Amino acid sequence: MKRIIKKSPIFLIFCLLIIILFPLKINAEYSPEKQMNEGSKHSILFPKVSNAKVIHEIIEIDVVPYFNDPKDYFVNYNITYHIESDHEQILPLIFIASNFKNSPINILINDKEVNTNSILENQNLIFSIFPYIKSDGNENVCIIDTKNNVNLFNIKELVYFNSLLKKGKNEIHLNYKGNLESNNYGFLKNYNLDYYLFPYKFWNSFGPIFVKLNTPPNYKIKQSTIGNPSQKLSKNLYFWRLNKINKKEFKISLSPKISTLSYFLLLLKPVGITLTFGLLISLIHIYFIKKFRKKDNHSINYYLILGNIINPPLFYLTYCLSFKLIEWSLGSIALKNYEYIISPILYLPLIYVLYDYTMWFLDISLKNNTSLKNT
């Protein structure tokens, strides 16, 4: 034990800080009533069994702020299908539309407005003309794709309408507003948007999908399951071309643009900031303990006593202030949803015992070594 403390006081200090910060990390709790805001779920159109072909699909996504809260966002979708039919036909279509905003779904087929039909009033018809949609006996339906994968949805999450297709090329246009999935915890609010792709398998053939995403000026693409954009059309406008559809859905995550300082502080996190500062003040303490013992090997080491009194509370203070430091660096985009529950009565005595004992043992070791050299 003596050899470890003599040779590796820094290692011991690091272990000590870990022990100190472990209960702090547990007690730095975020306690929102709702940790996530659910986003909209929607999909490619489902056709009745048909020989109609989708030449290509264009998905235009515009992330826009709320009028009453410019710091929060929703999505405006404009989706266009270019479809080719070898004969005139009425083609029943369904798509997933879960957790949409309270706004109408506008549908145009060859520039003519079409109304949606009640999904609940047409359940039996839907089950008969869409063989891959099965009822589970309750309010849920199972959508079985061509690989026999089962996708479960509430029947109220489906939108049904009939499309009158002419022979040749047709255009179906959908416009609606959706919610973004977002978090209520952490330092930053990130947004996710989802779009189901698997219904493409129910078409006779499905051409490429073009995705255009217009992000807010202060947000960037954090992650995308469809890879990096094929092209950046402007500062905030991104473009993807999906020639091969091999995923069940695509998901794009957006995060705020932050400064370099904020990036490194978030990388360290409060625990890392406290560990860094704790090691620094511990090394300074060790330096003055050693410096005193080189000059005086008999008197009371006042540097030891002073550091033993001051440093343990500084660990707690640094941990608490690190949250405020990160929030300050982020400015107005910080969520400020952390609540730290500090129990100094429970933890400070333990910190004092561990820290003071380590430093005291180090001082004794230095004092004994100096005495041995002088004899």
Side-chain angles (χ1 to χ4, degrees):
M1 181 67 180
K2 289 182 180 180
R3 185 179 301 175
I4 294 174
I5 293 176
K6 283 166 60 180
K7 293 189 175 182
S8 302
I10 297 174
F11 173 75
L12 281 180
I13 295 297
F14 184 80
C15 294
L16 176 63
L17 288 171
I18 293 291
I19 294 170
I20 293 169
L21 290 171
F22 181 72
L24 277 175
K25 181 172 174 59
I26 292 175
N27 284 291
E29 296 286 344
Y30 161 75
S31 54
E33 294 181 2
K34 190 177 181 182
Q35 292 194 5
M36 296 294 295
N37 298 315
E38 187 178 355
S40 301
K41 304 288 184 182
H42 51 136
S43 73
I44 287 174
L45 293 172
F46 295 60
K48 174 192 172 183
V49 176
S50 169
N51 59 353
K53 302 176 181 179
V54 176
I55 302 170
H56 62 263
E57 178 188 7
I58 302 171
I59 305 172
E60 296 178 282
I61 307 167
D62 192 17
V63 181
V64 292
Y66 285 98
F67 295 109
N68 58 346
D69 186 3
K71 293 182 181 179
D72 205 2
Y73 298 89
F74 67 94
V75 190
N76 186 43
Y77 290 97
N78 283 291
I79 302 175
T80 305
Y81 296 84
H82 293 267
I83 298 173
E84 187 173 359
S85 177
D86 60 0
H87 65 281
E88 185 176 308
Q89 61 175 310
I90 295 177
L91 182 63
L93 293 168
I94 283 179
F95 68 98
I96 299 163
S98 170
N99 192 31
F100 273 25
K101 290 183 65 61
N102 295 325
S103 59
I105 298 173
N106 301 311
I107 303 172
L108 295 175
I109 300 176
N110 296 323
D111 295 324
K112 294 181 179 179
E113 190 172 351
V114 174
N115 295 321
T116 60
N117 300 312
S118 171
I119 197 78
L120 296 176
E121 294 177 4
N122 293 276
Q123 288 187 59
N124 294 331
L125 175 64
I126 288 168
F127 295 140
S128 64
I129 62 179
F130 292 91
Y132 47 82
I133 299 179
K134 308 291 183 183
S135 173
D136 72 344
N138 298 311
E139 289 191 350
N140 295 325
V141 293
C142 302
I143 301 174
I144 305 169
D145 63 26
T146 55
K147 293 185 178 180
N148 291 323
N149 296 316
V150 177
N151 304 276
L152 190 66
F153 298 95
N154 189 293
I155 193 168
K156 296 177 182 178
E157 297 175 342
L158 302 181
V159 174
Y160 162 61
F161 65 96
N162 288 310
S163 59
L164 176 59
L165 301 182
K166 62 185 179 181
K167 183 178 180 180
K169 294 182 179 180
N170 298 265
E171 186 175 298
I172 299 178
H173 180 77
L174 292 86
N175 171 258
Y176 49 84
K177 293 176 174 60
N179 296 303
L180 285 163
E181 181 186 73
S182 62
N183 57 287
N184 289 321
Y185 63 93
F187 290 102
L188 291 171
K189 175 167 278 193
N190 299 308
Y191 293 98
N192 299 315
L193 55 93
D194 298 272
Y195 188 74
Y196 288 110
L197 298 172
F198 71 88
Y200 83 92
K201 299 176 181 179
F202 301 120
W203 291 87
N204 187 30
S205 68
F206 204 102
I209 299 176
F210 304 110
V211 181
K212 293 180 181 179
L213 171 63
N214 187 26
T215 65
N218 56 332
Y219 270 78
K220 64 179 181 179
I221 296 173
K222 181 181 179 182
Q223 192 175 6
S224 168
T225 59
I226 52 176
N228 295 323
S230 308
Q231 190 178 356
K232 193 172 182 180
L233 302 178
S234 65
K235 188 176 181 181
N236 302 302
L237 184 59
Y238 302 88
F239 173 79
W240 288 262
R241 179 189 173 105
L242 309 180
N243 293 317
K244 289 185 178 180
I245 308 171
N246 52 14
K247 296 182 180 294
K248 177 182 176 181
E249 63 181 312
F250 76 69
K251 187 171 186 174
I252 299 174
S253 300
L254 304 176
S255 64
K257 296 176 182 177
I258 58 176
S259 66
T260 304
L261 173 63
S262 296
Y263 173 80
F264 282 110
L265 290 176
L266 287 171
L267 192 66
L268 284 173
K269 300 181 181 178
V271 170
I273 294 170
T274 310
L275 282 172
T276 303
F277 181 78
L279 284 173
L280 178 62
I281 61 175
S282 298
L283 288 173
I284 293 171
H285 192 199
I286 292 170
Y287 169 78
F288 280 103
I289 290 173
K290 288 183 175 181
K291 184 178 180 180
F292 180 86
R293 280 296 165 220
K294 286 180 181 179
K295 294 180 178 180
D296 189 339
N297 197 38
H298 301 288
S299 303
I300 297 174
N301 194 334
Y302 291 102
Y303 289 115
L304 170 68
I305 297 172
L306 184 64
N308 283 355
I309 294 172
I310 294 175
N311 283 3
L314 280 180
F315 298 150
Y316 272 103
L317 183 62
T318 304
Y319 186 75
C320 295
L321 292 178
S322 64
F323 287 87
K324 297 297 182 183
L325 177 63
I326 294 174
E327 290 170 355
W328 168 81
S329 73
L330 293 171
S332 61
I333 61 174
L335 276 179
K336 299 181 180 179
N337 277 335
Y338 275 99
E339 296 175 2
Y340 9 93
I341 306 166
I342 306 301
S343 305
I345 296 176
L346 297 177
Y347 297 127
L348 269 181
L350 176 62
I351 294 172
Y352 271 117
V353 169
L354 293 173
Y355 185 85
D356 291 6
Y357 178 78
T358 302
M359 291 303 180
W360 173 80
F361 210 102
L362 174 64
D363 184 62
I364 293 295
S365 300
L366 292 170
K367 187 176 180 180
N368 291 339
N369 284 343
T370 305
S371 299
L372 289 171
K373 288 179 181 179
N374 294 332
T375 56

